[in-house]
Amino acid sequence: MEHALYLVLEQAAALAAFANLEPEGVAKFRHDRPNFVPDDFWTGSSMTGVSGVIQRTWQEDQKMVRAAWRNGFGPDECVALIVRGSNYNFMSEGIQKTSELLLRMDASEATEYLKNPAHFITPKVFDLQRAVMFLHVQSWRAAYCLGCAKHFIRAEKGSKYCGEECFKAARRSGGLDYYRTIGAAARRKRTAAKRKKAT
């Protein structure tokens, strides 16, 4: 059970990394997380709006993930993301070739071909889909870091920072703020008291 939770938390963390992803980081993200989405997800593109701007498929889905993050991973948003992942899978080159091959066969050839389980067209489930389902159930884990403002996954309720670095930076900043405001007032008060005592 603990191992299963660890895996799904890793997948959810990958979804957070995807929500924060910049174009220059795509190659590394793909290399580090080969099971996150189908390959076609990264290479596809579509034209959007009247201006005819071409946008990568992954950027469209990233917008959907960010919207789901803001809205608490509601059922409709989650279903849309999961279905889109399945659609990319079914549109993959391997499945398209198998479909075209089957279309050229007569019924007896197709039946014989599909007797081999290796030829089945079966949808693959990817980490993005698993992460979306998990966050639909435990939406409290989807958070924004108070330090860097990036998407992150809470390990426990009430976590406000994505990691130790942001937490320490916030503490340093908070200490400086205290030193400059409340601390400054306290120091002035002590100095005034010392002067008064000295006179």
Side-chain angles (χ1 to χ4, degrees), residues 81-153:
L81 282 163
I82 290 165
V83 168
R84 279 173 70 94
S86 295
N87 288 344
Y88 298 135
N89 188 30
F90 275 113
M91 289 187 291
S92 71
E93 192 178 337
I95 289 179
Q96 289 303 308
K97 281 181 180 174
T98 303
S99 301
E100 288 165 14
L101 187 64
L102 284 167
L103 287 171
R104 290 195 294 270
M105 296 178 184
D106 63 30
S108 61
E109 288 173 321
T111 302
E112 195 60 35
Y113 181 82
L114 290 172
K115 281 182 182 176
N116 182 345
H119 297 152
F120 292 168
I121 298 176
T122 52
K124 184 178 174 186
V125 178
F126 290 90
D127 291 351
L128 179 144
Q129 294 160 307
R130 291 188 184 99
V132 166
M133 282 194 67
F134 175 67
L135 290 175
H136 171 63
V137 176
Q138 295 195 15
S139 59
W140 62 268
R141 291 188 184 271
Y144 297 94
C145 178
L146 284 185
C148 64
K150 288 185 176 179
H151 304 78
F152 83 103
I153 298 299

Side-chain angles (χ1 to χ4, degrees), residues 40-62:
D40 291 357
F41 178 89
W42 299 109
T43 55
S45 59
S46 62
M47 220 171 263
T48 57
V50 290
S51 61
V53 175
I54 293 176
Q55 188 170 47
R56 290 284 180 198
T57 299
W58 72 265
Q59 290 173 313
E60 293 175 15
D61 282 62
Q62 186 186 55

